[in-house]
Amino acid sequence: MNALAPRAREERLIIKHLPDEVLIYDLDRDKAHCLNQTAARIWQNCDGKKSVSQLRELMERQIGNPVPEEIIWLALDQLEKFKLLDRTPVRPVSLSGMSRRELVRRIGVVAIGIPVVLSITAPTAQAQASGLPPGSCCGNPSQCASNSCNQNPTCIGTPAPSTKACA
């Protein structure tokens, strides 16, 4: 195991491989991530043995074009941000403090797509089934967070500040 080699996180993730992207659901954080093809290739090859330089060489062989090392660092930054790596090497001094925008500007136009990781927070099952907030109009008890409606029909409980009174 190489201390300077990034290692992808594997625990408590649900992974779905699609033709041009990888979807990852993080069970610990209730977040869903979509890795484009470039980010997915880099993440899939973070085995804890390959250095950043070796990842760059592997990407070059896979796509048949030169790949700037900054592309690998850009992907690693995003993967680390979304907690998809167990280990990330320290960024070189020449790239430290550089924002994503500055890094993309430095790379310029390349034959490989810029690595992109999109992320959303998924509501928990309990939040999805919580019903209307107290004070909201409801048609039956199952729609209310309090699970009981009075005759008006208004949910019993303190009215939520963002809801209108029932007519």
Side-chain angles (χ1 to χ4, degrees):
M1 195 177 301
N2 181 347
L4 300 176
R7 184 175 59 225
R9 183 173 149 223
E10 297 175 1
E11 299 287 318
R12 307 226 353 109
L13 299 176
I14 298 172
I15 302 163
K16 176 73 175 172
H17 298 271
L18 300 172
D20 293 328
E21 60 193 9
V22 172
L23 303 177
I24 301 171
Y25 185 78
D26 183 337
L27 294 166
D28 291 336
R29 293 168 182 82
D30 289 318
K31 290 192 181 257
H33 310 284
C34 177
L35 282 61
N36 74 353
Q37 195 171 43
T38 303
R41 281 182 174 163
I42 294 167
W43 181 74
Q44 290 167 334
N45 285 296
C46 288
D47 59 6
K49 298 174 186 171
K50 294 179 190 78
S51 67
V52 172
S53 175
Q54 290 169 320
L55 288 170
R56 181 191 59 75
E57 291 169 5
L58 181 63
M59 287 292 293
E60 284 183 349
R61 284 194 303 273
Q62 287 177 346
I63 66 164
N65 286 311
V67 175
E69 193 166 290
E70 290 87 352
I71 289 280
I72 307 302
W73 284 107
L74 183 59
L76 293 176
D77 285 349
Q78 292 179 72
L79 294 168
E80 180 181 33
K81 175 184 175 183
F82 294 116
K83 311 291 187 228
L84 296 175
L85 295 174
D86 280 336
R87 183 178 63 227
T88 307
V90 177
R91 213 182 215 209
V93 176
S94 63
L95 299 177
S96 63
M98 191 176 292
S99 72
R100 176 184 159 93
R101 177 171 283 150
E102 292 168 324
L103 194 53
V104 169
R105 194 175 302 131
R106 180 175 171 171
I107 295 167
V109 178
V110 293
I112 184 174
I114 299 294
V116 176
V117 178
L118 300 175
S119 182
I120 62 167
T121 301
T124 63
Q126 183 180 11
Q128 291 176 12
S130 63
L132 297 171
S136 298
C137 296
C138 57
N140 65 56
S142 67
Q143 291 177 324
C144 295
S146 64
N147 204 26
S148 61
C149 289
N150 64 16
Q151 300 294 334
N152 289 338
T154 302
C155 293
I156 297 171
T158 308
S162 64
T163 59
K164 296 179 182 176
C166 297

